Amino acid sequence: MRKLHLILILLSATTFTFAQTINYGIKAGLNLSTLSLRSPGFPNLGENTTGWNMGVIADFGFSTFSIQPGLFYSTKGDKVVALLVNNNQQSAGVLTGINKLYYIELPVNILYKIKLIPGTNIHLGGGPYLGYGISSSLSVNGGTVSPAFSTHYKNPDYGLNFILGAEFENKFIVDAGYGLGLANLSGGGTTLQNRVISFSVGYLFK
């Protein structure tokens, strides 16, 4: 983990030194997240739940690509819907649980740029991210509790981002992304990892 943290810092510092253009911006949008569960004897019942992301980015531009570190507040988690039965195996209602995990994240993405039409660049790429969970909440059939993050989940989270988007001449950005968590948030024989589909818009200040 320390090596990954050091690599992100060194990459950002080197990029700042050699970049041809430097822009700063803001981004915000929607997360559709779930938790991938692999555990003997337990099915993976997680469904997507909605959250959001918002933060700041720096865009270090080169001739055909840019390196884009950022700092984000991001909501992840999942939704579990289970059918309850009584002793007679008859329906006893539905249990709906929503886990929310709140992270501070540092992504560093490398984006290859393709000029599609005058004034519009398509970009695609990705890179590593490092996240630290700061809080969590659990809502069951409308009742909500907020246990400490460390009670049920491990820190830090890390993984890879994949991004496809467009940058317009007026510096507006539209992005779609996928976050593949590689860290195990659980312990023992259980593997629990973040999976996030995101949609965001942003603006680069000239």
Side-chain angles (χ1 to χ4, degrees):
M1 255 343 301
R2 293 178 180 176
K3 289 183 179 179
L4 177 60
H5 198 184
L6 182 59
I7 289 171
L8 294 178
I9 293 174
L10 290 177
L11 180 59
S12 298
T14 303
T15 300
F16 184 84
T17 302
F18 295 102
Q20 297 172 2
T21 62
I22 301 175
N23 293 302
Y24 299 93
I26 54 176
K27 285 179 67 176
L30 174 72
N31 285 346
L32 300 175
S33 65
T34 188
L35 293 170
S36 174
L37 171 67
R38 295 192 300 276
S39 180
F42 287 91
N44 189 357
L45 299 175
E47 301 178 5
N48 283 333
T49 187
T50 57
W52 51 279
N53 63 80
M54 63 180 300
V56 294
I57 57 174
D59 188 89
F60 301 98
F62 299 86
S63 57
T64 59
F65 71 96
S66 67
I67 298 179
Q68 199 175 87
L71 184 65
F72 284 83
Y73 183 82
S74 184
T75 306
K76 302 184 180 184
D78 71 347
K79 176 182 178 180
V80 175
V81 179
L83 178 65
L84 302 178
V85 295
N86 58 25
N87 293 334
N88 297 321
Q89 300 302 307
Q90 295 176 332
S91 175
V94 176
L95 179 70
T96 301
I98 300 176
N99 298 310
K100 294 287 188 179
L101 310 180
Y102 304 95
Y103 283 92
I104 298 295
E105 284 191 353
L106 173 64
V108 178
N109 296 310
I110 300 175
L111 304 177
Y112 179 69
K113 297 184 177 181
I114 305 169
K115 185 172 289 295
L116 184 63
I117 58 176
T120 302
N121 286 331
I122 298 296
H123 55 251
L124 60 107
Y129 76 83
L130 179 66
Y132 190 84
I134 56 174
S135 64
S136 66
S137 67
L138 173 62
S139 176
V140 179
N141 286 0
T144 302
V145 294
S146 300
F149 188 93
S150 59
T151 302
H152 301 290
Y153 306 101
K154 290 185 176 181
N155 263 321
D157 182 32
Y158 57 89
L160 297 173
N161 285 324
F162 303 92
I163 295 177
L164 173 64
E167 178 186 332
F168 303 98
E169 188 174 26
N170 57 10
K171 295 299 182 179
F172 278 99
I173 302 170
V174 178
D175 280 338
Y178 181 72
L180 176 67
L182 300 178
N184 184 7
L185 308 180
S186 185
T190 299
T191 300
L192 192 67
Q193 296 171 312
N194 281 310
R195 301 286 187 265
V196 181
I197 299 171
S198 62
F199 303 94
S200 60
V201 294
Y203 182 79
L204 291 174
F205 300 99
K206 299 180 181 179

